[in-house]
Structures are given as C-alpha cells and as structure tokens.
Amino acid sequence: MTPALRLDGLSKTFPVGKKLIGAARGHVRAVRPVTLDVAEGETLGIVGESGCGKTTLARLLVGLEPPSAGRVEIGGKALDNADPAAFGRLIQYVFQDPISSLNPRKSIRSILEVPLKRLHGMDADERADRIREILASVNLREEFLDRFPHEFSGGQAQRIGIARALAANARILVLDEPVSALDVSVQAQVLNLLAALKRKFGLTYLFISHDLAVVEAVSDRVAVMYFGAVVEVGRAETIFAAPRHPYTKLLADSAPVVGRPLTAPEGKDTELPDPLNPPPGCPFAPRCPKATNICRAEDPALEKMGDDQFAACHHPLDAET
Amino acid sequence: MTRFLWLLARNQLALMGGIVLVLVVLVCVLVPVLPLRPPDVTNTADRFLAPFSDGHLLGTDHLGRDLLSRLLWGTRLSLAVGFVAAIAAATLGSAIGIVAGYFGGRTDNIIMRGVDMLMAFPYILLALAIVAALGPGLLNALIAVAAVNIPFFARNIRGITVGIAHKEFVDAARLAGKGHLAILTTEILPNVIPVIVIAMSTTIGWMILETAGLSFLGLGSQPPQADLGSMLGEARAALITNPHTSVVPGVMIFVIVISINLLGDGVRDALDPRLRSGALSRPRPATNVRRESVPQGPGEGVLDIRELETQFHVGKRIYRAVNRVSLTIAPGECLGLIGESGSGKSVTALSVMGLVASPPGVITGGAAFHEGRDLIGAPYRDLRRLRGDRVAYIFQDPLSTLHPLIRVGEQLAEAIRVHHKVPRAELRRRAVELLGAVRIPNAESRVDSYPHEMSGGMRQRVAIAMALANEPEVIIADEPTTALDVTVQAQVLSLLDDLRRERGVAILFITHDFGVVAQMCDRVAVMYGGRIVEEAATADILNAPAHPYTKRLMDCVPELGGGRRKLDAIPGLPPAVDKLPPGCAFAPRCDKVREACRAAPVAMTRAGGRAVRCLYPETDIAKDPA
C-alpha cells in the first residue's frame, strides 16, 4: 500500500551571515536527510529538544520552506514545488501558539472562510454550511463566528486553529506542539478532540512535541530527532520502554515521572554541539556513554533493529532493558 | 472606536486642537459660498489698508487685494496640498515599507538602501532639486513634499511589517491558499494601518510647513494664486512698514500646525496599545497594601503566609488573584505550589516581597511572617534589604531576568554587594565559587561570559547561583524549569535538590507539573481560582488525592510509560477571577457537584497533616491519614 506521506532524503540547510552580494559565511544543517513513511490513518509522533529541527521539518512538509534536497510525496505523488497553496489541499498545519496564529484584526468567520474560498472556490452559501459543520466538529458555538481572536482563551483559539486546518479538507495534519501553550486541563480536551476528529474523518497526523508523555499517549509510532536527524523510530509502546539509541534512553530517563527518584541521568556539564561547526561522526558521541572511535568518525545510518524499530547507532542498546 | 474617541477626548490639548482644526477645515470648505471679495482682484488705490478698515476686515496687501479673502482661499489651498501630500507620501512610503519588510532579504536590502540615499539629502535641497527639474508650480511642490517624506513612512512601516511578517498567522494564510498580494493587503495591511495613521497625524503639520516654505521661495503657488506660503513671501518686502500683511498668514500657519500637532499627539497616545491598558505610570517599588485587619504574629517556620489576599483593580473590575491563602514553610523544606495559569500561584509568591506590580495590584489582607516580622506591611527600605538576601527568587525565563549587557560574574557580584560590604577581589572569588556550586564547568572563565554566550540551562544555573549568593533562608522558585528541555530540566532539578539539602534552604516551588512536584517536594499545595484547595504531604496527594480537582488534574496529565490512551479531560475552563461563583470555584466543572457546593464558600477541613476544601472529598482525610 502506498504510504499517505513519504519523506525521501528531505533536508534543509540555512545559509548564515548572508551579505548583499557574495556567498554566505557558513551553513547550518537544520534538517539532515530524513527518510520516513507515514501510513494512512497513522499518528506519527516526532519528539526532540529545542533546536533539533522538528519545526523546520514540519515547515518543509507543508511547503512553507523549500527543501534543500529530497522530496515530499503525498499519496504517491511528489510535491516538489514549494507552493503552500498546492500543499494546502493535501496537508495542513496546526501552529504552536494558538493566539498568534490568528490574525488579531479578522473575525473568526473571515479566518475560516479563506481556505474554503481560496483552496476550494466555494460560493457564499456552501461556505456558510461548511463552516457550521466544521465548527460543530470542534465543539465551538456558532455565535463565536463574529468575534475576534483576542476574545478567546488559549484552548478555544487552538480549536479555531484546528478548524481552519480542517476547512482545507486535507487528509494529513501536521500538528506542531499543538498543546504545549495550553494548561494541562485544557490540553487533555484538545488531545481528545484531535483523537475524535481523526476517527471521524480518517485523518493522518504528524504530531510534533517535546513532551514525551503526550507523544506516547497519542502516537502509533514515534520518531526521535537529534541535531537535525531522526535517530530512532519505533512503536510508541516500546520506544521509550526499550530504546535502542542512547539518546532516546537519555530522554526517557530525564522525563520527570512520579515515583522515580530525582537523578540527573547524565553528567552535569553536557552541551549540544555547535550547529555552525558540527563534530564529525555521530553528533551525540560527545554526550554518549558508549561512544568509541568509530562514533567520532562516522555518522551512523538508520538501521532496522528488532521487529519495527530503527535506530542510527553504532552501538545500540540491548532490546531487553 | 468609541473607546479611541473617548481616550482622545480625555486629552484636553488634543481635544482643543481637534476643535480648532475642525473649525478651520469647516471655514475652508465653505469659502466658495461665503460673501468674500474676489481674492485676486487688484486695486492699487487701496493698497496696504490696515485691518478693520471699511470693507476689508483684515486690511489689504501691496496690490490692494482683500487679505481676509486671500487668507481663506490660501488656507484652503495650503490645507488641501498638505493633506494630499501626506496621503501620497503615506501611501507610497507605506507600500514601499510593507513590500520591503514582507519579502525581506535582498529585496529589502535594495529598497531600503535606495530609501537611505533619499534620506541622505537635506530635505529642502531635495525638494528644490525636484522643483527645479519639474519647474515651479503648486503641483510640483506637492510632488516634492510628498517625495521628501516617503522615507519616513517607508522606514517606519518596514520596521512594523518585519515583526508581523514572521507571525504564524501569515504562514497560516499562505497555507490557506493566499498569494503574496492577498497576504499583503488583507493580512498585513490591517495590522499596520494604526501605525500609518499615527505617522500621518504627526507629519501632516510638517508637510504644510514644507509646502509653505517652497511657496515662500516662489517655487510653489504662482501669482496671483494665494496660498499661505506665497502670501508670506509677497509680504516680506513690507515686513517693517506694513507688518499686518505678514502677521495674518503667519498666525494662520501657526494655528493650523499647532492644532494638527496637538491632535496628532493625542491620536498617537490613544492608539498606542501600551497606553491603552492604563499602565502608563511606572509600577511602584513595592506593592500597595490596604489591609483592614492584620493577622497576629509571630508565625511559624521560616516563612508563614497567612490569609493573604491580593487583588488587581482594573477600572471597575476587581480580580481576586489570591484569596485568603495560608502556607507555612519549615526550614529546609520544599513546598510545592501547583496550579494552572491564572490560579494565583505566581501572584502569591510575588506578594510575599511586595513584587506585584502596583497599580493595578493591591494586597488587601493577610500577612507573611519571616523571623517574627510581617513582610507585607514592612516599609520599602526594609523590604529592599531583605529581597535577595533573606528571601530570593528564581524566575521562569533566565534570558529575561539576566541583564544582557553585563557579564554574569559582575551580576553575581552586584547581588552580593548591594547587601554586604565585600572587597572587590573577594567579590570575584565569591562569584567563581557560586558558579562552581551550581556545577558550571570552567567557572573561572565563565565568570566573564555574557548571558547570550550561555545556553538556557547554563543561564538558569546562573540565576540559581544569584539566588544563592547571600545564602538566603527561603528561595521562591517560580516555574524554574518550564522553559528548559527535559534533559536540561533533569540536571537543573537535581542541582536544586542537592543545594537544598547541602545548605538547608527552604524552597517554595511553583510549577504545573506533577512529575516535577513528585520528585522535588516534601509537601504540596494545590491552587484553583485563587484559593488553596488541597494541601498534604506529596506522597499522600499523589496516592490518594482528596479534592476532586486534584484528582481530575492528575488524571488528565499523561504519564510516560502508559502507552496510547484516552485522557480524562476536565470539561470547561478555569474560572475568571473577576467573576468567581459564590460557592466552590470548581463546582461548574465538577462531576460530583451538589446544591451545597454552589451555595456558600467551602471552608478548609484539616486532619493530621492534610487539608482539603471540599464538602464531598474523594478521600476521607480524617479516617485515612495515609
């Protein structure tokens, strides 16, 4: 079966210190080649710490940034022109900050009408019907339509953001930290709403977050990113319980868990590598307890380990841990 | 809009300016129908008649033309030219600015360097050059004045647009299928229009002056047509002998320009969002205190907060942010204060040392005892002595709490120096020692780093070092790890825990994360709607929460290792603290709610080390002290 979404060697390099005339001083590899398949109806979680390239990856997926290399295929068809409107009908984006993703000077109605008008060319009556339908599916009342974004709480604003993504009628949604700006009690409401919408419309999700517990709770599979690359992919139930990559284990051990005594799982002075001057070999090697000479020389590729787990590591951890 | 007009009218000078301007504009509009003498008909027999002479209210000029008629026709022309020039400059300049700011990169660079070149010429020289090239005439003077003012608008609007073009709603519009033109006109333009209006209102007077200047030099309106500048120019020769010919247009220019400027300042103030919130005045150094009754001391533990009440008075609304909160912290203890945003946990912490911004914050009741004395009523001098010395704070965002232009070592030294007399060399040694204590590698060299040279985790360690600088008895840590990544959070939490045990410092730890509370804190207090709803030892709360809110809140937080699942969300929203219900604040969202819950405020029930504010608790704390 063709995957709903396929990333084939997708990468992005940003020039740094560009002048009016002449070449850039250096390059930052925000996303190193990423190859991933996402099945129809699946939720793929993407976790990683700040600066690991997960938001850049998301922006590549929806066409907000043109990739430096590689391509995005949706339903078997390549989308190589970075035209957000062409992407818009197939894949949509839900932003992290619900308030700043809504134009403060537009009513909710005019925000929701744009994708219907621009992407689907609906007339006024069709639009009104469709908006009513979408609003009901995200549990918002119709009287909200003529209000402005600042009148809403974070959770309500995020529902509007989700409604806008649904209005485009895309089958794939990229959710970039959709609940991290929300309070915990509201966070659960939005997560449950997302799950219900997925069932109802048969959607495929890419769920990006820094919160391991949230990702685990909503995902079928999880991809762990470090320094611009996917270092491990596996089923949500097993990836944190039995990680193969030492970085995944570090993440899992660092998350505060009730009933686990407080320990810093690694040395107290470790730092991320400098993106302008990346070390040769595996970028995790300087922090890794198992690093050897080969790690400092050669960047490992993603390899199959176990049934459906992939890790990019020269010295993977044992399966039974 | 009504609010804008109300704010504008509140400014008396702006109101006066507005009224004068409206009168002048009204007269100018009515000029063709007023019974005036023709302005251009000469009558040399009547030259230089003084004001108030028969038939000529303001006298006549050197050709015997009626000054009143020329003045009104001239004002009409000058105003029209000024307005048109302002609109032209604003339209073109804003268009250039929006395009440059939106596209950025090379487009921006090329456009803005062109604008810089335009600005490099003195304005009058540029205007003269334009008029010289196009020939004299009012229309050309208008073009010159508009062109000269384009850079001002272009630069202003570009700056605003750069900020807006990277907002997420612009990306959202692209994904919704909008092209560049649609985004520029329908997404960005509505957000910069207030700035354009402000810029126009403050420059239109200036443009009228510039047009008058060109006409004065004979480059603007051509004889016999009158405008204010050419009237002045023609009157120049008779300045000494017949001053009224200069005074009449001069006064009119003064009246117009000052009324426009006063109104423009008023418009700017009324549209400026910072002035709108009413927070124009600088906050006072300590929070206002207006208490009716004061709890009696001396209090227990190292910090004893009793019945603390902090409110925000905004207009007629009263936000009860902290509502009779009592907390006691024993020496060396870590007390967790957990709650959602708006529950009042940060305001509680800030109230202790009078750090709540005033206005609008007011402490309306309660006390906070430290070593037997009440900090709430303490004079500012005493508070200042204690702040950072006996009670220190750690805040959420270390990037905004550290001064960006001062080396971290000097900031640490300053924290010590304001409280203790220590020689310079000793200060540096102490700073290095402190950085070492928070496990910063190479403390010797890091002491000379600037905050931006450090990672987020490092900066938070510096903030912790600063809190420790004077060996305080209490540290109030307000979400100290929320802005950090998980691996860094684990490091910072274990550091805080080590330091607390080594130094015996008590910590009031504010957070929204149960995982963090479980690992850090001895006791936990849960806040909801400005009140403490439950308080107990950490293990008791986690194993058997008594308040339904605590239980539901814990259920809706996913925990690592639980696999894929449906979360038990709490329906509804946290309460607005300016409209709290009369009974239990959680009642509208609670699934166990009964009539009694809504009727009257629920009192705290205490048993053993536990306390809960609920009529029908999940766990009977009296029977089951756990």
Side-chain angles (χ1 to χ4, degrees):
Chain A
M1 197 182 94
T2 26
L5 176 71
R6 163 171 282 169
L7 323 185
D8 189 3
L10 201 63
S11 70
K12 180 71 187 176
T13 307
F14 289 109
V16 180
K18 215 161 144 186
K19 301 212 184 73
L20 183 58
I21 303 155
R25 267 193 299 116
H27 295 273
V28 171
R29 300 176 74 188
V31 176
R32 297 185 296 148
V34 169
T35 301
L36 273 177
D37 282 354
V38 187
E40 180 99 43
E42 184 184 35
T43 298
L44 176 71
I46 297 179
V47 285
E49 297 182 274
S50 50
C52 74
K54 49 190 197 299
T55 292
T56 309
L57 180 68
R59 292 174 63 87
L60 290 174
L61 286 177
V62 295
L64 282 172
E65 297 276 359
S68 304
R71 57 188 196 156
V72 180
E73 276 177 28
I74 294 176
K77 276 199 344 219
L79 277 173
D80 39 16
N81 60 329
D83 174 13
F87 280 74
R89 279 178 219 110
L90 301 169
I91 185 164
Q92 274 289 340
Y93 195 86
V94 175
F95 294 86
Q96 172 172 3
D97 183 342
I99 300 289
S100 87
S101 72
L102 303 174
N103 191 336
R105 302 204 167 252
K106 301 226 155 208
S107 70
I108 303 311
R109 185 191 304 279
S110 65
I111 286 173
L112 291 180
E113 278 198 326
V114 177
L116 299 176
K117 198 158 46 177
R118 295 268 168 178
L119 297 175
H120 297 285
M122 291 185 179
D123 64 32
D125 289 343
E126 282 179 288
R127 289 204 298 266
D129 288 347
R130 180 92 176 103
I131 285 177
R132 213 168 298 136
E133 204 179 293
I134 296 166
L135 219 57
S137 64
V138 296
N139 308 333
L140 286 177
R141 291 198 297 276
E142 244 175 86
E143 68 216 50
F144 288 169
L145 279 175
D146 294 309
R147 298 202 195 158
F148 287 83
H150 67 90
E151 297 172 62
F152 294 95
S153 69
Q156 289 170 330
Q158 194 58 292
R159 282 164 203 267
I160 295 164
I162 293 169
R164 172 174 54 194
L166 290 176
N169 213 6
R171 307 302 301 275
I172 309 173
L173 292 193
V174 177
L175 307 155
D176 187 3
E177 306 258 11
V179 296
S180 53
L182 307 179
D183 263 318
V184 278
S185 74
V186 180
Q187 181 175 324
Q189 293 172 6
V190 173
L191 290 175
N192 287 341
L193 171 70
L194 285 170
L197 291 173
K198 187 182 155 181
R199 271 197 307 279
K200 188 170 169 194
F201 299 113
L203 300 171
T204 304
Y205 285 163
L206 259 94
F207 191 99
I208 298 173
S209 177
H210 68 278
D211 189 328
L212 304 190
V214 167
V215 164
E216 191 194 54
V218 302
S219 307
D220 299 307
R221 281 192 308 146
V222 176
V224 179
M225 284 188 79
Y226 182 72
F227 206 62
V230 172
V231 295
E232 184 160 8
V233 188
R235 292 215 329 277
E237 305 89 80
T238 53
I239 189 163
F240 297 122
R244 308 301 295 266
H245 197 287
Y247 177 63
T248 313
K249 182 168 164 53
L250 171 64
L251 274 184
D253 290 350
S254 300
V257 171
V258 175
R260 186 159 70 191
L262 188 61
T263 47
E266 65 173 336
K268 305 198 178 190
D269 55 348
T270 49
E271 290 283 305
L272 280 170
D274 178 6
L276 264 178
N277 186 19
C282 173
F284 188 62
R287 296 172 74 177
C288 184
K290 301 183 75 174
T292 56
N293 283 335
I294 184 172
C295 301
R296 283 181 272 270
E298 227 175 278
D299 198 1
L302 209 57
E303 272 170 48
K304 189 162 182 169
M305 299 181 186
D307 290 340
D308 40 15
Q309 205 152 338
F310 295 81
C313 185
H314 292 298
H315 308 292
L317 302 164
D318 294 334
E320 298 82 33
T321 35
Chain B
M1 195 64 200
T2 42
R3 178 157 171 78
F4 165 73
L5 288 177
W6 177 79
L7 274 171
L8 192 60
R10 207 177 49 166
N11 183 339
Q12 289 186 346
L13 282 174
L15 188 64
M16 270 157 54
I19 291 171
V20 171
L21 190 65
V22 166
L23 286 178
V24 170
V25 170
L26 212 61
V27 169
C28 288
V29 168
L30 294 176
V31 160
V33 297
L34 290 179
L36 291 169
R37 287 164 182 272
D40 300 334
V41 172
T42 56
N43 178 7
T44 36
D46 283 346
R47 62 199 295 258
F48 291 133
L49 285 183
F52 306 113
S53 27
D54 205 18
H56 300 285
L57 191 60
L58 292 179
T60 56
D61 68 359
H62 63 291
L63 295 174
R65 294 175 292 197
D66 181 48
L67 265 181
L68 176 66
S69 169
R70 285 183 73 74
L71 178 76
L72 294 184
W73 281 99
T75 306
R76 182 179 155 94
L77 197 59
S78 288
L79 272 182
V81 170
F83 279 116
V84 172
I87 287 167
T91 312
L92 275 170
S94 306
I96 291 172
I98 288 181
V99 168
Y102 174 71
F103 288 103
R106 208 155 273 177
T107 318
D108 178 33
N109 224 325
I110 290 169
I111 292 181
M112 291 323 285
R113 294 303 80 78
V115 167
D116 285 348
M117 272 189 260
L118 213 55
M119 285 196 95
F121 289 99
Y123 87 92
I124 192 81
L125 203 65
L126 188 62
L128 283 174
I130 294 172
V131 172
L134 299 176
L138 203 52
L139 186 66
N140 293 342
L142 189 157
I143 293 172
V145 170
V148 162
N149 283 287
I150 283 177
F152 172 77
F153 284 96
R155 293 174 71 107
N156 249 333
I157 300 306
R158 177 199 168 258
I160 304 293
T161 308
V162 167
I164 295 171
H166 293 105
K167 285 259 170 77
E168 292 178 334
F169 68 78
V170 174
D171 286 336
R174 291 176 66 193
L175 288 171
K178 280 193 176 180
H180 289 313
L181 188 65
I183 289 175
L184 282 174
T185 52
T186 61
E187 300 284 335
I188 292 183
L189 188 63
N191 284 290
V192 295
I193 276 189
V195 185
I196 299 178
V197 170
I198 290 169
M200 257 177 80
S201 66
T202 49
T203 49
I204 194 163
W206 180 236
M207 294 201 210
I208 289 174
L209 276 183
E210 283 174 0
T211 323
L214 286 176
S215 289
F216 178 81
L217 295 173
L219 300 168
S221 79
Q222 297 301 306
Q225 194 181 36
D227 83 342
L228 293 174
S230 64
M231 285 177 73
L232 269 180
E234 287 164 3
R236 186 176 40 172
L239 184 63
I240 306 298
T241 50
N242 294 78
H244 73 273
T245 49
S246 323
V247 168
V248 166
V251 166
M252 182 52 101
I253 289 180
F254 173 77
V255 167
I256 291 174
V257 173
I258 197 145
S259 63
I260 288 178
N261 285 354
L262 287 176
L263 180 66
D265 285 353
V267 168
R268 186 197 56 207
D269 290 354
L271 280 178
D272 193 323
R274 275 171 308 169
L275 304 169
R276 258 193 176 177
S277 65
L280 178 58
S281 47
R282 220 150 55 100
R284 297 153 57 99
T287 312
N288 282 341
V289 177
R290 258 182 268 145
R291 292 183 294 183
E292 272 161 21
S293 63
V294 181
Q296 286 308 302
E300 298 159 25
V302 66
L303 182 67
D304 194 3
I305 302 171
R306 288 234 204 122
E307 304 281 308
L308 181 71
E309 248 183 63
T310 306
Q311 307 181 339
F312 291 97
H313 294 194
V314 181
K316 280 184 194 140
R317 287 195 189 166
I318 296 179
Y319 295 85
R320 294 171 205 282
V322 177
N323 211 339
R324 299 174 77 84
V325 163
S326 300
L327 287 171
T328 306
I329 307 172
E333 184 186 37
C334 181
L335 172 65
L337 188 55
I338 197 164
E340 297 180 86
S341 53
S343 62
K345 53 193 194 309
S346 289
V347 180
T348 304
L350 293 172
S351 300
V352 171
M353 279 287 159
L355 290 171
V356 177
S358 250
V362 189
I363 296 175
T364 48
F369 294 104
H370 169 71
E371 289 177 344
R373 61 172 302 180
D374 180 12
L375 297 174
I376 301 291
Y380 172 57
R381 197 163 36 86
D382 296 4
L383 269 184
R384 202 179 147 186
R385 200 165 44 73
L386 292 168
R387 282 177 185 173
D389 191 36
R390 307 320 315 144
V391 181
Y393 282 85
I394 304 171
F395 294 100
Q396 178 173 341
D397 180 9
L399 193 57
S400 59
T401 47
L402 295 176
H403 195 296
L405 298 179
I406 302 179
R407 297 173 200 278
V408 294
E410 277 170 54
Q411 299 193 44
L412 283 171
E414 189 191 16
I416 302 171
R417 203 171 52 227
V418 292
H419 293 295
H420 304 280
K421 261 196 135 98
V422 181
R424 252 199 116 64
E426 170 73 6
L427 275 177
R428 190 182 163 86
R429 201 185 56 71
R430 287 281 299 282
V432 172
E433 206 176 275
L434 282 166
L435 289 183
V438 293
R439 320 277 192 317
I440 285 185
N442 308 325
E444 280 287 347
S445 61
R446 277 302 196 177
V447 80
D448 291 320
S449 301
Y450 288 98
H452 69 88
E453 296 170 327
M454 303 179 132
S455 66
M458 284 291 164
R459 284 195 288 263
Q460 195 59 298
R461 282 162 207 253
V462 173
I464 293 172
M466 204 179 279
L468 291 171
N470 297 302
E471 303 192 337
E473 280 144 343
V474 187
I475 290 182
I476 298 178
D478 191 350
E479 306 249 10
T481 58
T482 307
L484 306 176
D485 279 321
V486 266
T487 56
V488 182
Q489 165 170 294
Q491 294 170 3
V492 171
L493 286 179
S494 75
L495 171 71
L496 263 179
D497 198 49
D498 290 353
L499 291 171
R500 157 169 95 96
R501 291 178 202 284
E502 281 165 23
R503 302 182 177 219
V505 48
I507 300 182
L508 176 59
F509 194 96
I510 298 170
T511 180
H512 64 273
D513 189 330
F514 276 104
V516 171
V517 161
Q519 293 186 320
M520 276 293 291
C521 303
D522 306 314
R523 273 191 313 131
V524 185
V526 182
M527 269 189 100
Y528 187 78
R531 283 202 164 95
I532 304 264
V533 295
E534 180 166 9
E535 191 186 331
T538 308
D540 291 348
I541 280 210
L542 293 174
N543 295 333
H547 199 282
Y549 173 65
T550 318
K551 182 174 188 308
R552 303 284 302 274
L553 190 63
M554 282 164 59
D555 287 344
C556 69
V557 184
E559 206 176 288
L560 193 63
R564 195 180 164 132
R565 80 218 85 143
K566 185 168 164 56
L567 302 165
D568 299 312
I570 309 177
L573 294 172
V577 287
D578 59 331
K579 285 179 268 191
L580 285 173
C584 170
F586 188 60
R589 303 172 77 187
C590 187
D591 53 3
K592 300 176 71 183
V593 62
R594 296 187 216 174
E595 268 316 299
C597 301
R598 301 184 197 270
V602 180
M604 205 76 160
T605 323
R606 289 180 186 277
R610 301 196 65 163
V612 63
R613 192 186 292 278
C614 183
L615 297 174
Y616 311 102
E618 306 274 341
T619 313
D620 188 348
I621 56 170
K623 253 190 228 153
D624 175 27

